[in-house]
Amino acid sequence: MAGRVLEGRRIAFLAADGVEEVEYVQPREAVEKAGARTELVSLKGGSIRSFNHLDPSTSYDVDVAVAEADAGAYDALVLPGGVANPDFLRADPEVVRFVRSFHEQGKPIGVICHGPWTLVEADLVRGRRITSWPTLRTDLVNAGAEWVDEECVVDGGIVSSRKPDDLPAFCATIVEEFARR
């Protein structure tokens, strides 16, 4: 990740309470180090609480509520995992609209761990190769995806990874894909 290849780019991180801390913090640091400006988008204003596995961790201030967010104002989207976070997100129609808008505008999306649940709800996995935390395999296959057990997969503007151990590859790949598009 040499240089500031994302200079001038604006990246949305979409998360809610229960986001896995390292899956939020490390990708955000990676794209910021590459020159991007980032914003935390969530279900409502205020703050969200991250988790370290099942233990509550740090609170993060929300920059914009999803109902007021415009995908057109961003160059890319990151959906971190955690078990509760994507479950809260996928139940919200504004989140589904926001995520689908990135795809409709041809903008790249990075997603890790349980994050693909939100993509399933937005009907964005059908016909794509994708990876995730292993327990999502059946959900993704039932939604029409080809699930693979690989560190990092890129297909049709979606970068996916399985778990926190894959963060080095995921971070490098989202920076590369976000710079390319």
Side-chain angles (χ1 to χ4, degrees):
M1 292 187 298
R4 297 181 58 81
V5 297
L6 297 179
E7 193 74 45
R9 306 278 173 96
R10 190 171 172 206
I11 313 296
F13 279 74
L14 180 58
D17 286 326
V19 65
E20 184 69 31
E21 184 163 1
V22 296
E23 294 174 4
Y24 169 64
V25 172
Q26 287 186 23
R28 189 165 183 170
E29 288 174 351
V31 298
E32 286 175 349
K33 183 178 177 185
R37 228 174 73 223
T38 61
E39 289 187 1
L40 176 56
V41 179
S42 193
L43 298 171
K44 59 185 190 292
S47 64
I48 63 167
R49 172 65 60 108
S50 68
F51 276 64
N52 182 8
H53 303 291
L54 298 176
D55 298 321
S57 187
T58 307
S59 290
Y60 294 94
D61 291 333
V62 172
D63 294 302
V64 63
V66 71
E68 285 88 45
D70 175 14
Y74 300 97
D75 297 294
L77 173 65
V78 177
L79 294 164
V83 178
N85 164 56
D87 201 43
F88 291 138
L89 293 175
R90 69 182 177 159
D92 187 285
E94 288 297 323
V95 166
V96 173
R97 173 201 56 80
F98 185 67
V99 171
R100 194 176 289 133
S101 292
F102 277 86
H103 174 71
E104 291 167 352
Q105 295 173 38
K107 295 179 179 183
I109 300 170
V111 61
I112 187 167
C113 198
H114 288 76
W117 267 338
T118 307
L119 296 181
V120 167
E121 198 64 35
D123 195 25
L124 297 182
V125 300
R126 187 176 317 282
R128 297 191 190 289
R129 288 181 79 245
I130 195 163
T131 195
S132 67
W133 186 256
T135 59
L136 272 67
R137 178 178 188 232
T138 300
D139 296 334
L140 289 162
V141 169
N142 286 342
E146 176 191 347
W147 187 87
V148 294
D149 185 13
E150 295 177 14
E151 182 178 58
C152 196
V153 175
V154 179
D155 187 345
I158 296 174
V159 178
S160 59
S161 276
R162 302 171 298 191
K163 56 190 174 186
D165 290 346
D166 297 337
L167 279 164
F170 179 69
C171 291
T173 304
I174 61 171
V175 168
E176 179 182 312
E177 284 297 306
F178 292 178
R180 190 174 69 77
R181 291 180 170 263

